[in-house]
Amino acid sequence: MPATLHFDELVATLPTQDGKVVAITGCTSGMGFVLACTAARLGARVVMLNRPSERADRALAEVQRLGTADLVPCDLASLASVRAAGVTLRERLGDTGLDVLVNNAGVMGMTDLATEDGFDLQMQANHLSHFLLVHEVWPLLEEAAQQRGEARVVNHSSGARNRPDAEMRQPYLERNGGHLGGDRWPGFQKWRRYQQSKLANLLFTYALQDHADQRPGNGVKALCAHPGPADSGLQAKTTRAGGTTILDRYIINSTLKIAQSQEDGTCGLARAAFDPGAKGGDFFGPDAKTRTGPALLLPPERDPAGEKMLWDASLASTGITRFFP
Ligand SMILES: NC(=O)c1ccc[n+]([C@@H]2O[C@H](COP(=O)([O-])OP(=O)(O)OC[C@H]3O[C@@H](n4cnc5c(N)ncnc54)[C@H](OP(=O)(O)O)[C@@H]3O)[C@@H](O)[C@H]2O)c1
């Protein structure tokens, strides 16, 4: 396991989150779990948005040992489950609001699979469901911003977002699950599908901030982070899902060879969620050349045409007619 070099130093600089509510998707393991523990230690009430499993129950019990936490079932492979989570969150957090929503959950390198809603599994779990979740909890974010000055949405992208000739493409956001390149050996297309979903995380951040800023007195910031290669459970899950070609093994092994600890991988998320100096639209991650190290403020990677296409296609795919109430 890689040693943790930066995370503890960063956390020591973060302010108390006492009185705040922090919801995190995909916090049964990996960086979401590290962030949930950190939020609890900083004094936040933590809402763990996980699909029901023994892993989810174990993670809840561990975070409850550190502070206040509860579980809201949320399966990101199902739009109905995300809508149900939205109802539960509005019931539970109507009075307090929601200070930080961290859209962390993700799957990587999955086969060309359609979800029950007809989308590519990677695009739905990594982006479309998070888009819908933000819509569902928007009134709670505005409530927290009104009560305590600001609220945040944090998306989790990846170094994989950047590939030459890989702008955002509409078919990946539509009901084309199972028909997005297939799984022909050696499986380039599964990595293209992952790239598209992780680019969507970043472009959604910029589009959300722009749309939110058009609302009078907006107090909600949209931010993004990427961890660099991190030694989490993600790579093993790719292998378990059939990722065993030479290309799969090359990508997974070369990632793990330079990976930092999952705690250091969480630095970007922690800054985006809790750094008092972070501004709307900020993007945090390790140095682009070394791909590891402390989370830095990265240069923006704006793509106005891609952002607009992503926003409109995500609205259509999730069936939202008006994003804000
Ligand atoms: N590790 C890296 O090198 C790396 C690099 C770049 C970006 N990232 C990003 O970092 C994020 C966190 O990944 P990680 O590396 O910490 O991996 P991880 O340990 O596998 O965590 C992924 C989390 O997502 C959850 N998840 C997956 N499918 C879900 C679904 N349908 N509904 C609800 N939750 C679901 C998993 O929950 P279950 O227990 O239910 O499966 C788990 O809690 C991902 O967005 C990933 O793309 C990771």
Side-chain angles (χ1 to χ4, degrees):
M1 278 297 200
T4 295
L5 305 175
H6 311 286
F7 188 63
D8 299 334
E9 203 177 317
L10 169 67
V11 172
T13 67
L14 299 175
T16 175
Q17 298 297 308
D18 201 12
K20 296 198 177 185
V21 184
V22 177
I24 306 170
T25 68
C27 49
T28 61
S29 65
M31 292 172 274
F33 179 69
V34 173
L35 192 75
C37 294
T38 306
R41 284 198 186 96
L42 289 171
R45 170 180 172 189
V46 182
V47 180
M48 302 176 74
L49 291 160
N50 287 318
R51 51 184 168 181
S53 69
E54 274 179 28
R55 284 154 57 77
D57 294 339
R58 269 201 308 273
L60 175 66
E62 285 191 47
V63 178
Q64 281 175 334
R65 273 201 288 275
L66 303 170
T68 309
D70 55 343
L71 172 71
V72 171
C74 183
D75 181 352
L76 298 165
S78 158
L79 295 183
S81 174
V82 176
R83 287 195 194 95
V87 172
T88 307
L89 288 166
R90 292 196 298 277
E91 278 166 9
R92 285 195 201 168
L93 305 179
D95 293 341
T96 58
L98 173 60
D99 294 271
V100 187
L101 171 66
V102 182
N103 293 323
N104 161 72
V107 286
M108 175 180 80
M110 297 288 121
T111 50
D112 198 358
L113 266 180
T115 63
E116 65 185 36
D117 299 293
F119 300 106
D120 170 52
L121 173 62
Q122 295 191 75
M123 185 57 81
Q124 182 164 346
N126 297 2
H127 164 65
L128 288 170
S129 284
H130 285 130
F131 183 92
L132 176 60
L133 185 60
V134 176
H135 162 75
E136 290 285 328
V137 302
W138 191 263
L140 302 176
L141 294 162
E142 288 196 332
E143 181 62 35
Q146 204 168 22
Q147 290 186 25
R148 290 178 287 282
E150 65 151 64
R152 299 183 185 197
V153 174
V154 177
N155 295 319
H156 211 186
S157 184
S158 164
R161 75 194 179 282
N162 267 331
R163 290 284 177 272
D165 182 32
E167 73 282 3
M168 199 70 230
R169 294 182 195 162
Q170 191 158 337
Y172 289 89
L173 294 156
E174 296 175 335
R175 283 190 166 73
N176 295 316
H179 304 284
L180 287 164
D183 296 308
R184 252 197 336 271
W185 193 91
F188 286 113
Q189 291 302 328
K190 70 167 68 156
W191 296 103
R192 170 68 75 200
R193 294 189 291 274
Y194 183 63
Q195 177 271 331
Q196 286 283 302
S197 74
K198 293 284 111 182
L199 182 58
N201 295 146
L202 181 59
L203 297 189
F204 172 38
T205 307
Y206 295 134
L208 178 63
Q209 186 67 57
D210 284 355
H211 281 86
D213 282 343
Q214 287 166 23
R215 291 175 70 71
N218 174 49
V220 185
K221 299 173 180 175
L223 306 101
C224 195
H226 89 92
D231 192 353
S232 68
L234 193 68
Q235 297 83 1
K237 288 178 191 168
T238 305
T239 307
R240 280 205 297 277
T244 52
T245 67
I246 293 169
L247 177 67
D248 297 332
R249 288 204 304 272
Y250 170 75
I251 291 175
I252 292 168
N253 292 339
S254 56
T255 301
L256 287 176
K257 218 178 196 165
I258 59 161
Q260 51 191 356
S261 72
Q262 53 187 9
E263 285 76 12
D264 281 348
T266 309
C267 286
L269 278 186
R271 282 198 68 184
F274 306 131
D275 182 334
K279 295 192 285 299
D282 279 356
F283 179 31
F284 296 101
D287 177 82
K289 282 207 189 86
T290 60
R291 298 172 65 198
T292 55
L296 311 172
L297 179 60
L298 302 174
E301 298 175 19
R302 301 291 310 242
D303 169 9
E307 290 161 26
K308 180 172 183 345
M309 184 278 286
L310 174 99
W311 183 266
D312 292 344
S314 301
L315 283 175
S317 289
T318 52
I320 300 171
T321 43
R322 258 181 51 197
F323 191 82
F324 300 109

